[in-house]
Amino acid sequence: MGETTLAANLPHQRNLAAATGVLGGTRLLERRLSDMPRYYLDQNSVLARLAENPLIYQVYDAPIPEEPGHLCHCTTVIKPGRIGDEFFMTKGHHHRVDAAEVYYFLQGEGFLVMESRDGTARSLAVSSGSVAYIPPGWAHRTVNTGAGDLGFYAVWPGVAGHDYASIEAEGFGLRVLATTEGPRALPAREGRS
Ligand code: S6P
Ligand code: ZN
C-alpha cells in the first residue's frame, strides 16, 4: 500500500486495454452471484443458479487515496447473462458525499440506471463510445444487456466514498428486464417511476 500511495502522488500512467477493459497495475475485485443474491427480483432463479455461482462483474481499481484533490478511477467489466429475466448488473450505490462521476463505455451495450435522493429514476441506454455523466446525489447501477462483456472506465472525486446500504435495502425504481420487445428498464416499485 505504501508504494502505491506514494506513486499516486507522482505523475504516472497505466495501460487501459479497451478491448478487454483490463486496467493495468490495479486491484481486481470480483462479484459473483453469492455476493449479491438479494439484489435480483427472481429469488427462485437465484437459488437455481447459486451452485454454479456465475461471475457477474469485475472491477480493476486503481490504488488512489480517497482524499481531497485526488481522482479515483477504475474499469468495470460486467459479464453477459441473466438471473431469470433480469440482466447481470452491478450492486449500485450512492456516493457517501454527493459527488458526480463520469463513465466512458469501452465495449458492449446496456443501461445505466440512476436514482436521485428524492426517488426520481432515470435510465440511459449506453454502448461503446458513450460518455455518461452521473450528477451529484444520483445513485447508479450499470446493467449488461448485450451478448458480450460490457466494459467502462469511471472517474470520481477521491472524497466521494461509497454507500451501498440504501440500494441493498430498497433497490432502484427501475429494473432492466428481458421482454418480448427486447431489454427494457421497467418500473420496479408501485407508485414510483
Ligand atoms: C465507483 C463507480 C464504479 C463502480 C463499479 C462497481 O464510484 O461507480 O467503478 O464501483 O462499477 O459497481 P458497485 O456498485 O458494485 O460499486
Ligand atoms: Zn460511483
Side-chain angles (χ1 to χ4, degrees):
M1 183 67 188
E3 268 180 42
T4 52
T5 303
L6 273 179
N9 286 311
L10 295 170
H12 66 276
Q13 62 181 335
R14 299 175 192 283
N15 181 260
L16 169 49
T20 61
V22 175
L23 185 61
T26 55
R27 304 173 282 219
L28 173 60
L29 174 79
E30 296 197 324
R31 296 277 186 227
R32 293 183 175 275
L33 181 59
S34 60
D35 297 311
M36 50 186 304
R38 291 198 310 275
Y39 284 76
Y40 288 93
L41 182 62
D42 180 348
Q43 287 295 304
N44 288 331
S45 293
V46 169
L47 285 176
R49 301 287 299 280
L50 269 176
E52 167 208 347
N53 201 15
L55 175 64
I56 309 285
Y57 61 102
Q58 298 167 305
V59 178
Y60 295 88
D61 188 25
I64 303 292
E66 295 185 321
E67 293 172 4
H70 281 287
L71 288 174
C72 291
H73 57 129
C74 75
T75 54
T76 303
V77 178
I78 309 175
K79 309 311 283 184
R82 284 177 4 210
I83 302 296
D85 289 335
E86 192 166 20
F87 291 96
F88 283 9
M89 60 188 181
T90 60
K91 287 184 170 184
H93 57 265
H94 269 288
H95 291 157
R96 227 175 326 105
V97 176
D98 284 350
E101 179 158 8
V102 171
Y103 284 1
Y104 173 52
F105 287 85
L106 304 164
Q107 54 179 217
E109 54 198 38
F111 284 86
L112 174 55
V113 175
M114 291 171 276
E115 185 164 324
S116 66
R117 292 201 183 271
D118 70 6
T120 304
R122 291 279 185 279
S123 69
L124 298 174
V126 293
S127 58
S128 172
S130 301
V131 177
Y133 185 75
I134 301 163
W138 287 73
H140 38 287
R141 161 182 288 162
T142 317
V143 185
N144 183 357
T145 59
D149 290 353
L150 174 65
F152 61 94
Y153 174 67
V155 182
W156 68 98
V159 292
H162 294 88
D163 170 17
Y164 289 89
S166 61
I167 295 300
E168 185 172 11
E170 294 175 35
F172 282 80
L174 294 170
R175 284 188 182 272
V176 180
L177 303 171
T179 75
T180 50
E181 284 104 46
R184 292 285 183 275
L186 299 172
R189 307 178 194 127
E190 275 181 34
R192 300 184 79 169
S193 61

